[in-house]
């Protein structure tokens, strides 16, 4: 049985990666179900923001005088991060990284700057660099959002047990932290712990029943456990809540496939 769920990192303000970077190769923690055909090309998961970060246009009138040698000299660390996110939102990744490099040189003990740069490296698929920055950030300050990104970087190196430990640590800090619950559910399923995965998705849905993504992945777990009627009901819940787009179409196709298999019998 494939230990594989389709990771739908839904675009809510709490999600770990910051927004506006170029799309990464799809977050594929899995094909939805053992017997269902996955789409040829999985849709890219929506980008999101780390705690406290804000992407989008920056009011340059609030930035003090600067020149080539001392760009944004008057900014505090959070404002530096805002400048980097402004560049990132425009697709200017080199400028975003350069800004963060300058900020870290000025504030070398600021955990948030390392966290933002680590998130950028993660979206740019530079996983070793992401791992180093996220480790540095966590060494300076514990943060559940950084833990989620750190777990994803570890997963990219197939260090799944370490990734699971990082998500457990995030949930020790904040038991209701949805990104950690959601990603731990995916990871538990990959590791063969269907019941643990189901518990995490159940909890995520109880915390926010309006979020679409946990229903999709809970459907996959339920189908794998042989709970076919409940799995189809979860797909219906996902389809009802999901915005128009590729995932909604994928869920409809998957539902039709599952329904046909259910009617065909064992």
């Amino acid at each position: 049985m494939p230990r594989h769920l389709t990771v739908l990192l839904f675009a809510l303000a709490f999600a770990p990666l910051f927004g506006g970077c170029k799309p990464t190769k799809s977050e594929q923690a899995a094909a939805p179900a053992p017997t269902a055909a996955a789409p040829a090309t999985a849709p890219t998961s929506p980008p999101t923001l780390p705690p406290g970060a804000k992407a989008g246009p920056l009011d340059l009138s609030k930035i003090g005088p600067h020149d080539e040698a001392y760009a944004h000299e008057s900014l505090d660390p959070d404002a530096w991060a805002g400048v980097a996110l402004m560049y990132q939102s425009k697709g200017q990744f080199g400028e975003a990284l350069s800004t963060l490099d300058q900020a870290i040189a000025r504030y070398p003990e600021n955990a948030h700057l390392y966290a933002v740069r680590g998130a950028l490296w993660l979206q740019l698929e530079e996983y070793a660099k992401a791992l180093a920055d996220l480790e540095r950030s966590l060494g300076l300050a514990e943060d559940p959002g950084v833990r989620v990104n750190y777990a994803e970087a570890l997963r990219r190196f197939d260090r799944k047990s370490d990734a699971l430990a990082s998500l457990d640590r995030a949930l020790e800090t904040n038991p209701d932290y949805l990104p950690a619950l959601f990603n731990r559910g995916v990871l538990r399923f990959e590791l063969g712990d269907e019941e643990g995965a189901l518990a995490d998705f159940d909890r995520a849905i109880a915390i926010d029943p309006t979020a679409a993504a946990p229903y999709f992945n809970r459907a996959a777990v339920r189908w794998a456990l042989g709970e076919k009627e409940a799995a189809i009901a979860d797909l219906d819940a996902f389809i009802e809540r999901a915005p128009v787009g590729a995932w909604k179409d994928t869920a409809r196709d998957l539902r039709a496939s599952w329904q046909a298999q259910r009617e065909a019998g064992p």
Side-chain angles (χ1 to χ4, degrees), residues 1 7 10 18 24 26 70 89 101 124 137 143-144 146 156 167 172 184 200 213 223 229 249 263:
M1 178 189 303
V7 178
F10 37 99
F18 59 79
T24 65
S26 260
Y70 299 101
S89 69
D101 290 345
L124 294 175
S137 178
D143 183 277
V146 179
R156 296 294 182 164
L167 293 170
E172 288 173 8
R184 191 176 70 175
D200 280 341
W223 187 266
E229 186 173 346
D249 294 339
E263 291 172 358

Side-chain angles (χ1 to χ4, degrees), residues 37-195:
T41 302
T44 302
S45 57
T48 48
L49 290 168
K54 295 180 180 179
L58 185 73
D59 184 353
L60 297 179
S61 68
K62 296 181 180 179
I63 297 177
H66 58 275
D67 57 30
E68 292 182 2
Y70 299 101
H72 316 305
E73 180 70 20
S74 65
L75 297 184
D76 63 23
D78 287 343
W80 276 91
V83 173
L85 288 167
M86 176 192 69
Y87 284 130
Q88 171 266 338
S89 69
K90 295 179 178 180
Q92 297 174 304
F93 309 116
E95 289 85 347
L97 288 168
S98 177
T99 298
L100 290 166
D101 290 345
Q102 292 177 65
I104 288 170
R106 184 168 177 79
Y107 299 102
E109 302 300 313
N110 186 271
H112 182 58
L113 291 171
Y114 288 103
V116 173
R117 192 172 69 177
L120 179 55
W121 284 130
L122 194 56
Q123 287 213 4
L124 294 175
E125 301 177 356
E126 294 278 1
Y127 301 122
K129 293 175 181 177
L131 200 60
D133 272 347
L134 295 168
E135 283 180 349
R136 176 65 172 148
S137 178
L138 289 167
L140 291 166
E142 187 62 40
D143 183 277
V146 179
R147 279 280 166 202
V148 171
N149 276 358
Y150 184 56
E152 177 60 16
L154 289 167
R155 193 175 71 84
R156 296 294 182 164
F157 287 101
D158 204 33
R159 293 172 57 185
K160 292 182 179 179
S161 295
D162 292 335
L164 187 61
S166 184
L167 293 170
D168 287 343
R169 180 77 177 272
L171 289 164
E172 288 173 8
T173 304
N174 183 350
D176 293 340
Y177 190 53
L178 285 177
L181 278 168
F182 186 84
N183 286 12
R184 191 176 70 175
V186 172
L187 195 53
R188 280 177 161 178
F189 188 84
E190 289 183 342
L191 292 169
D193 181 9
E194 290 97 341
E195 295 297 339

Side-chain angles (χ1 to χ4, degrees), residues 1-14:
M1 178 189 303
R3 295 292 160 201
H4 222 43
L5 286 178
T6 302
V7 178
L8 297 172
L9 292 179
F10 37 99
L12 300 180
F14 55 68

